[in-house]
Amino acid sequence: LAAERLAFFFHSLMWIKSPSGPARGMAFHSETDALTGKDFDTGSIPSLTMIIPCYNECVVPSEEFLRSGALREDAMNQHPDNQVGVGDLTNPPVGDGMNSNLGFIISQFPDEWMFLTQRLHNEGQIENSSSHALYKQFMHQSLRPEIVGEVRLWSMFRTQSVGKTVVGALQYGRALATLPKVRQYYQERPHKRIPEDHMEVILAHQTYGQDAPEGDPENDDAVRMLLARYSYDSLYLVFDLTPASNEHVTGLVKEWLRARRGYGLGAFKYASVKCRWDPARQDISILTVLPRMFPLRLGQGDFKTQGKACNQLNGLRFASGHYVQALDCNMGVFIGEGFKVPYVLRVFMPAEKRDRSAPRCRYLGFREYIFTSREGTVGKCHATAEWTFGTIYQRFLSGMGTRMHYGHPDFVDGFWVRNRGGMSKSSPVVNLSEDIFAGYNVRMREETSPHIDALEFEKGRESTFNAASNFFSKISGGSIAVMRSRDNHLLCERVGLFHSWSFYFTSVAFYLSNLLIDFSIYLYVCLFVMFTLANIDLGRLSSLGSTFSTEWVMSMGIFSIFPQLLEMILEFGALKAFREVFGMLPAATFFFIFQNKNISSSMRTGANTGIAKYFFTGRPMANQHQTWRDIYVTYWRSHYKPAFNLLMLYIVYQVLVRETFQGALPMVLIFISAVAWLITPILFSPFPRWHLLEQDIREFSAFINGVAGKDESEVFEVESRGRRGKARTMWECGLAAEISNWIDTSSEVLCIYLLLECAVLCFLFMIIPAEILDYLWLFIVTLSLNSLLLLLYLQSNLSNILLNLQTLGWLLALPMGSYIMGPQALSPSLWVRLPELIISFGVFLKILNVLKQIYLLVCKAGLFIGSCKRASNSTKRRRYFEAIRRAHLYFQQHQIDMAEAYLLMISNTVVSLFLMLVDRIACNVHTWWLLNRELARTRYGEQYLLKAPPKIEADCLREGSNYASEYGSDYSEEEPSQRGLLQTNGHHTPETEASTSDRQTPPLA
């Protein structure tokens, strides 16, 4: 990493002097333009405000979080808000059930953990120089608070935390503070902090000072710790004052208003407050209070304005820089990049530009380095996709002049954005991808948004499989909102044909392509089923010259890796390019087959309901255990049901072909896709161990058979839990999804879907032979028997035994065949009649689905249009929810879900046992593939660092050498010089975080 960063840094410096670079027209004169030039003027540095919007994200990892993770209970779903209750295990796990969270962080940076230990030992803060001893003392809570704080800060810089982003943003100020001319400038202004005239960092914390559940007192303490630690930097806190703010924050604002003899706090309810840390008082000091008439987020319920856009606007009110930058709270900055920022900002307004009325561009994008690629295979896959889109794609679009603002942390012209209502649009539902609409705003006003390759900030991405899926669901659902937006309509009207093509491919083309590909998979298999039923074999297709007669062994998606391969060869060299691309090919194949299906499902849901839903990813660490309950809740509609349907079609085709003695296409890609939709979440789950498998089976079985939410009086709670993603049982999960579908989807769309379903059903009756449809009587009789069991189930206080008997009752159709249809039902054998049974069962399920839709549409029309006009809206909703509940049970939807869940449990068990065997026999190869080599070197079933030190320390001890002394134990010599580096006019930083972020790379440490 150090070699890569240094190579990029020195190579990018050529851009500053290059006349043909992205900033062509900017002449470079070393005497005046070089930051250390003799005639350099500090007034040529454009002022910059860096805004970090934050809600309730982790600021600094807590002691409890770092110590947790190794217990079996930590790998289970947790109680929400620490409210223990039966069936309320709905929050995600807090670890992997094998290692502590601190241990996992150390496994990624074992050498840097040794450096921390050696530095603390050299400073006299700890007695033992063993990194293993420091870890054990932390886990046993035997360290002093100061050392615990050092460990927390060390972890903060190596996770996706707000603190890492704040310190990274301050790196630009640290870079400026090292310049002689800048130091001289502030020596003449002793009342100012370095370098507040040239840059400032604003932490816009939306929930600071609010009690739980809206706020988090532990996060507030972490914010105060950051402000105190960096009190001599240009760091400010902006928070939202509301009636829910606690007494301490309210008292500070009252005191500030009273001291200025202004209006009292009772004159307004809401305010935006800017403050900074006061070392003398050891508390925050209020600087400005801007009263507001309305809350930060406007609207009601699920239709509130977007939180991030509103929070950006809250910070923008206090921004003083000519240029503004909004950073996501999972970013970082290498200090070397800070020295290039003044040159990058000159792209807006070059010194040679004579017309100073307007800058050359309004947004300015640059590269991002995805630092979570080191956390495991999921992080690498996500980093590869982000590098392709955020670097290769943006570079090409910028050259074509069609690039727009796609996300943070682009620089933006501060004057321009202040006069246009904010940095992003925040309308509820529509502006889910709020930064996309900022790019639309630029394009509609005929402004530009170029991209440069000379600057690169750190960026984190989701590194667990479920979190990555939620991210893809969010952006693909947001693309539906983009297509429905007024901005998209206006923009398409104002651009020509060729610009429309480029605009399409730079906006929603990728997501629409995935939707069409997903649709074509089902169409492809259905066509061959119909070909077989029509007695059209492969020979006849070949004689007709049709390409359907041959199998596509290679997917076109395979060829899409070559542009990326060539780009990596040019940038990193051939050896690394081939190793990275082809080494990641198996993992990326399963990952993106699954995520492409995720994208298409989210787009279909968004198109049906017209609502773009926000998915909170949480950005957990890569070692977090993925429980089977969470996996099922996340993917049962988007992947598992389609996979079972596709496999049913595939089996029907293969059995039909064998019975008709026709040649069959193997459909390898179809089969791989269906299997990948089923097993990929388990493949990407860390640590397949027996105790975790046993726990998952037990918890998932309780989830399937749970009775929570089944009572008729709980239907409103079920709907609420479903919207919040807190379903306790499979019944609540399925019923909440059914209610959401019938409530959020308009009646017109529901009628259209019903007509399409009826048309498909009529088509099936026309093409399927009558001898196959005769088997429908088997399932009609079975349904009658199941209805009797259902009545007993409702009368027996919802006994799970009777409900499971209903699920198994469908197997009665086989032995009852001879009694209902005569001896020809299973003659000559069950295997021969299996195609007829499967096809007729599929038709029967289609009939049930159509009848259910007719019933619910009639109920909706009767309640909301017919004779119930006098009833209140709440009464209508309650009655409609009850109708949906009855349909979900009476039309066998829940029973089918149970059968599929049990099949999924079998599939998960088989895959987990296979991965356990692989890890056991092949020396933890799955752990090495999914996470890292350090954990894989730990003995199977043993907790990392429980009995042995990090492997790198153990190797050094075995060889009799001191690794820390060889590779960088000079922390005690580095820190005083760094302290003196920022010491000006009596202001100095008590700690040396100027190089803390750079300690991510051992050689630089």
Side-chain angles (χ1 to χ4, degrees):
L1 177 60
E4 181 182 333
R5 298 313 312 157
L6 289 172
F8 175 79
F9 176 77
F10 288 114
H11 181 73
S12 63
L13 294 181
M14 300 301 296
W15 167 84
I16 299 174
K17 302 178 65 174
S18 174
S20 60
R24 47 185 174 273
M26 293 171 52
F28 180 82
H29 307 285
S30 58
E31 295 80 6
T32 57
D33 292 338
L35 296 179
T36 56
K38 181 177 62 175
D39 299 325
F40 174 74
D41 188 356
T42 57
S44 64
I45 301 177
S47 59
L48 174 67
T49 297
M50 308 170 84
I51 301 175
I52 305 172
C54 173
Y55 179 66
N56 241 352
E57 293 85 354
C58 172
V59 179
V60 180
S62 65
E63 297 178 56
E64 181 184 3
F65 171 77
L66 293 175
R67 292 192 180 102
S68 62
L71 300 178
R72 292 181 59 173
E73 294 78 13
D74 295 334
M76 293 173 54
N77 288 102
Q78 304 295 304
H79 298 285
D81 303 323
N82 295 322
Q83 297 176 2
V84 179
V86 178
D88 283 339
L89 299 173
T90 55
N91 276 15
V94 294
D96 54 32
M98 285 293 299
N99 309 290
S100 67
N101 291 320
L102 177 60
F104 175 70
I105 299 173
I106 294 173
S107 72
Q108 302 174 72
F109 310 96
D111 46 359
E112 296 179 26
W113 178 252
M114 294 174 59
F115 294 151
L116 172 68
T117 306
Q118 191 68 26
R119 175 172 69 83
L120 295 176
H121 176 68
N122 291 344
E123 292 175 351
Q125 299 190 53
I126 59 175
E127 297 180 358
N128 198 330
S129 62
S130 168
S131 64
H132 188 220
L134 178 62
Y135 171 78
K136 293 175 68 175
Q137 290 172 2
F138 179 84
M139 296 300 294
H140 295 154
Q141 305 183 31
S142 58
L143 292 175
R144 291 183 288 111
E146 297 82 5
I147 309 302
V148 172
E150 290 287 343
V151 173
R152 291 179 63 195
L153 286 172
W154 182 89
S155 304
M156 178 190 76
F157 289 114
R158 289 150 185 86
T159 54
Q160 299 189 61
S161 61
V162 178
K164 175 183 174 66
T165 309
V166 170
V167 178
L170 292 174
Q171 295 287 60
Y172 175 44
R174 302 297 179 82
L176 293 180
T178 63
L179 304 178
K181 292 288 185 177
V182 174
R183 294 169 61 85
Q184 180 182 352
Y185 174 87
Y186 286 97
Q187 284 178 353
E188 299 170 359
R189 297 162 178 82
H191 60 283
K192 294 187 176 182
R193 307 186 185 190
I194 302 179
E196 65 180 34
D197 282 352
H198 297 88
M199 69 84 61
E200 62 179 355
V201 177
I202 294 177
L203 176 60
H205 203 296
Q206 188 173 335
T207 61
Y208 178 84
Q210 299 181 23
D211 295 326
E214 290 296 328
D216 187 350
E218 187 174 329
N219 260 357
D220 290 354
D221 293 339
V223 169
R224 292 164 61 85
M225 184 179 75
L226 274 181
L227 292 173
R229 195 174 180 90
Y230 301 97
S231 59
Y232 295 97
D233 290 287
S234 186
L235 175 62
Y236 302 91
L237 170 67
V238 171
F239 64 88
D240 181 31
L241 183 71
T242 70
S245 298
N246 58 37
E247 294 181 0
H248 176 69
V249 168
T250 305
L252 290 175
V253 176
K254 284 182 178 179
E255 180 184 346
W256 187 87
L257 293 172
R258 193 181 305 114
R260 283 151 183 79
R261 301 181 184 275
Y263 290 103
L265 194 57
F268 54 87
K269 294 174 59 178
Y270 306 99
S272 300
V273 183
K274 180 181 181 180
C275 57
R276 70 186 312 168
W277 187 260
D278 187 352
R281 295 178 51 188
Q282 287 298 300
D283 200 356
I284 59 174
S285 175
I286 306 297
L287 300 179
T288 309
V289 177
L290 293 180
R292 303 193 315 268
M293 181 176 293
F294 301 104
L296 196 62
R297 296 184 65 192
L298 305 177
Q300 300 278 337
D302 295 331
F303 293 90
K304 285 187 177 181
T305 50
Q306 297 297 330
K308 180 186 285 188
C310 295
N311 208 2
Q312 289 173 358
L313 182 59
N314 200 34
L316 186 63
R317 293 187 177 103
F318 302 99
S320 60
H322 291 105
Y323 304 106
V324 181
Q325 182 184 30
L327 299 172
D328 286 333
C329 53
N330 61 333
M331 299 190 64
V333 182
F334 297 103
I335 192 170
E337 301 302 296
F339 290 98
K340 295 182 288 186
V341 171
Y343 298 104
V344 171
L345 294 179
R346 292 184 190 180
V347 175
F348 285 98
M349 188 76 74
E352 292 79 11
K353 191 174 187 297
R354 294 187 178 183
D355 183 6
R356 315 290 290 183
S357 59
R360 292 171 54 177
C361 58
R362 297 300 183 181
Y363 278 84
L364 180 62
F366 53 92
R367 295 164 54 121
E368 294 175 347
Y369 171 80
I370 309 302
F371 66 86
T372 46
S373 61
R374 63 198 174 208
E375 287 200 23
T377 300
V378 175
K380 288 180 182 178
C381 291
H382 220 152
T384 302
E386 192 68 23
W387 185 77
T388 302
F389 176 78
T391 299
I392 302 176
Y393 206 53
Q394 301 302 313
R395 179 194 300 155
F396 176 77
L397 295 177
S398 181
M400 295 285 290
T402 58
R403 180 191 180 268
M404 294 190 298
H405 171 63
Y406 289 97
H408 313 291
D410 285 7
F411 296 109
V412 59
D413 177 21
F415 176 81
W416 188 79
V417 78
R418 289 187 190 97
N419 288 276
R420 278 151 185 84
M423 304 181 68
S424 305
K425 292 199 172 184
S426 60
S427 299
V429 180
V430 176
N431 299 138
L432 178 65
S433 304
E434 78 286 342
D435 39 13
I436 300 292
F437 292 93
Y440 280 21
N441 202 12
V442 171
R443 183 64 183 85
M444 285 190 292
R445 285 167 171 79
E446 300 298 332
E447 302 285 355
T448 58
S449 176
H451 171 89
I452 60 171
D453 271 340
L455 190 68
E456 189 172 57
F457 281 9
E458 286 187 296
K459 184 70 174 288
R461 278 299 179 204
E462 288 71 17
S463 54
T464 63
F465 193 79
N466 287 353
S469 299
N470 286 336
F471 173 79
F472 281 106
S473 297
K474 180 179 68 175
I475 59 175
S476 53
S479 66
I480 290 292
V482 167
M483 290 188 285
R484 294 177 58 246
S485 67
R486 174 175 172 268
D487 305 69
N488 185 77
H489 177 70
L490 292 175
L491 195 56
C492 290
E493 285 183 340
R494 297 182 182 183
V495 297
L497 177 62
F498 294 102
H499 280 286
S500 296
W501 290 345
S502 63
F503 173 63
Y504 168 71
F505 284 104
T506 55
S507 55
V508 297
F510 172 73
Y511 307 103
L512 283 176
S513 298
N514 278 285
L515 180 62
L516 295 176
I517 291 172
D518 181 61
F519 176 75
S520 66
I521 291 175
Y522 300 97
L523 182 61
Y524 182 75
V525 183
C526 288
L527 278 175
F528 275 93
V529 171
M530 288 188 286
F531 285 154
T532 307
L533 291 173
N535 201 26
I536 300 177
D537 58 8
L538 297 180
R540 293 184 62 183
L541 288 173
S542 179
S543 62
L544 294 172
S546 173
T547 57
F548 281 117
S549 59
T550 57
E551 174 87 1
W552 280 48
V553 180
M554 296 292 291
S555 168
M556 289 299 295
I558 298 295
F559 296 97
S560 64
I561 68 173
F562 288 103
Q564 180 191 13
L565 176 64
L566 297 177
E567 287 279 350
M568 293 193 71
I569 290 174
L570 293 175
E571 189 153 342
F572 302 109
L575 183 61
K576 181 177 180 179
F578 279 95
R579 184 175 66 247
E580 290 291 330
V581 172
F582 291 102
M584 285 294 297
L585 188 59
T589 299
F590 278 92
F591 182 84
F592 287 108
I593 285 177
F594 193 91
Q595 298 304 340
N596 290 344
K597 175 62 179 175
N598 199 29
I599 290 171
S600 63
S601 298
S602 299
M603 288 200 67
R604 186 182 295 111
T605 302
N608 290 342
T609 63
I611 298 176
K613 293 184 178 180
Y614 180 80
F615 292 87
F616 179 71
T617 63
R619 303 190 187 103
M621 294 195 301
N623 69 317
Q624 186 192 64
H625 182 64
Q626 311 294 300
T627 65
W628 291 5
R629 174 210 167 272
D630 288 346
I631 289 173
Y632 180 85
V633 170
T634 307
Y635 308 120
W636 74 278
R637 279 200 303 175
S638 60
H639 292 78
Y640 294 147
K641 277 189 170 299
F644 285 122
N645 294 336
L646 186 60
L647 285 175
M648 179 180 285
L649 284 173
Y650 178 80
I651 293 172
V652 167
Y653 169 68
Q654 295 294 335
V655 174
L656 276 176
V657 168
R658 290 185 182 182
E659 291 301 315
T660 55
F661 303 102
Q662 299 178 8
L665 286 179
M667 295 188 181
V668 176
L669 297 179
I670 301 296
F671 183 76
I672 290 176
S673 297
V675 171
W677 296 347
L678 290 174
I679 70 171
T680 302
I682 304 299
L683 287 178
F684 285 90
S685 294
F687 297 112
R689 299 294 184 265
W690 176 256
H691 69 279
L692 296 178
L693 174 62
E694 179 187 5
Q695 179 174 281
D696 279 330
I697 293 175
R698 184 176 63 254
E699 296 298 324
F700 190 53
S701 178
F703 174 76
I704 295 174
N705 296 291
V707 297
K710 287 188 176 181
D711 192 86
E712 194 171 354
S713 61
E714 297 180 275
V715 65
F716 276 106
E717 183 184 358
V718 170
E719 189 266 345
S720 175
R721 283 183 170 274
R723 290 192 180 276
R724 292 182 287 116
K726 301 295 182 182
R728 296 168 293 183
T729 61
M730 195 182 72
W731 166 263
E732 288 190 344
C733 180
L735 180 57
E738 199 76 30
I739 292 174
S740 175
N741 179 56
W742 285 91
I743 291 295
D744 295 338
T745 308
S746 65
S747 300
E748 294 81 1
V749 174
L750 292 173
C751 291
I752 292 173
Y753 271 103
L754 176 60
L755 292 176
L756 290 176
E757 292 282 348
C758 292
V760 170
L761 191 59
C762 293
F763 180 72
L764 292 176
F765 274 103
M766 287 190 296
I767 67 169
I768 295 177
E771 62 179 5
I772 296 179
L773 296 178
D774 287 341
Y775 283 88
L776 289 175
W777 290 107
L778 293 180
F779 305 108
I780 292 173
V781 174
T782 307
L783 178 63
S784 303
L785 296 177
N786 274 348
S787 299
L788 295 176
L789 290 174
L790 181 59
L791 292 176
L792 292 175
Y793 166 75
L794 295 175
Q795 295 299 322
S796 62
N797 199 19
L798 307 179
S799 172
N800 282 322
I801 297 177
L802 294 174
L803 194 62
N804 283 302
L805 285 177
Q806 291 181 61
T807 305
L808 297 174
W810 292 104
L811 299 178
L812 293 175
L814 300 178
M816 288 193 310
S818 57
Y819 297 100
I820 299 171
M821 298 180 59
Q824 71 272 16
L826 300 178
S827 176
S829 66
L830 175 62
W831 179 254
V832 174
R833 294 300 180 183
L834 190 60
E836 288 93 333
L837 288 169
I838 294 177
I839 294 175
S840 58
F841 184 65
V843 174
F844 177 75
L845 293 180
K846 180 66 69 175
I847 294 173
L848 281 181
N849 186 43
V850 170
L851 292 176
K852 184 188 74 172
Q853 293 186 48
I854 294 173
Y855 166 74
L856 290 177
L857 274 175
V858 171
C859 290
K860 190 170 188 178
L863 288 172
F864 294 96
I865 303 175
S867 60
C868 295
K869 292 183 178 180
R870 295 182 180 180
S872 63
N873 287 332
S874 60
T875 302
K876 292 179 181 179
R877 288 177 65 88
R878 179 179 57 81
R879 292 178 180 175
Y880 192 47
F881 285 2
E882 292 171 357
I884 296 174
R885 175 182 175 275
R886 287 191 293 269
H888 187 63
L889 190 61
Y890 293 158
F891 287 97
Q892 303 295 305
Q893 185 61 57
H894 178 60
Q895 292 85 331
I896 295 171
D897 291 346
M898 290 184 66
E900 292 176 348
Y902 281 120
L903 291 175
L904 184 64
M905 181 187 290
I906 295 172
S907 170
N908 291 350
T909 303
V910 170
V911 176
S912 297
L913 288 172
F914 172 76
L915 295 178
M916 286 171 53
L917 184 64
V918 168
D919 254 9
R920 183 79 178 187
I921 296 176
C923 302
N924 293 327
V925 66
H926 177 262
T927 302
W928 167 80
W929 170 77
L930 186 63
L931 295 176
N932 58 59
R933 180 171 175 263
E934 183 76 9
L935 288 175
R937 294 179 65 184
T938 307
R939 184 176 300 176
Y940 181 85
E942 184 177 301
Q943 179 182 336
Y944 178 66
L945 295 182
L946 180 63
K947 299 179 180 179
K951 297 302 178 183
I952 188 171
E953 183 178 7
D955 293 343
C956 293
L957 292 174
R958 192 180 304 112
E959 297 170 3
S961 61
N962 189 335
Y963 184 87
S965 63
E966 289 185 14
Y967 291 94
S969 62
D970 54 341
Y971 282 94
S972 57
E973 290 81 16
E974 285 184 3
E975 291 210 345
S977 63
Q978 293 168 349
R979 290 192 183 100
L981 195 64
L982 301 177
Q983 191 171 0
T984 307
N985 303 325
H987 297 170
H988 73 91
T989 310
E991 300 295 337
T992 60
E993 282 74 23
S995 65
T996 309
S997 180
D998 288 339
R999 289 178 193 161
Q1000 296 164 2
T1001 57
L1004 287 181

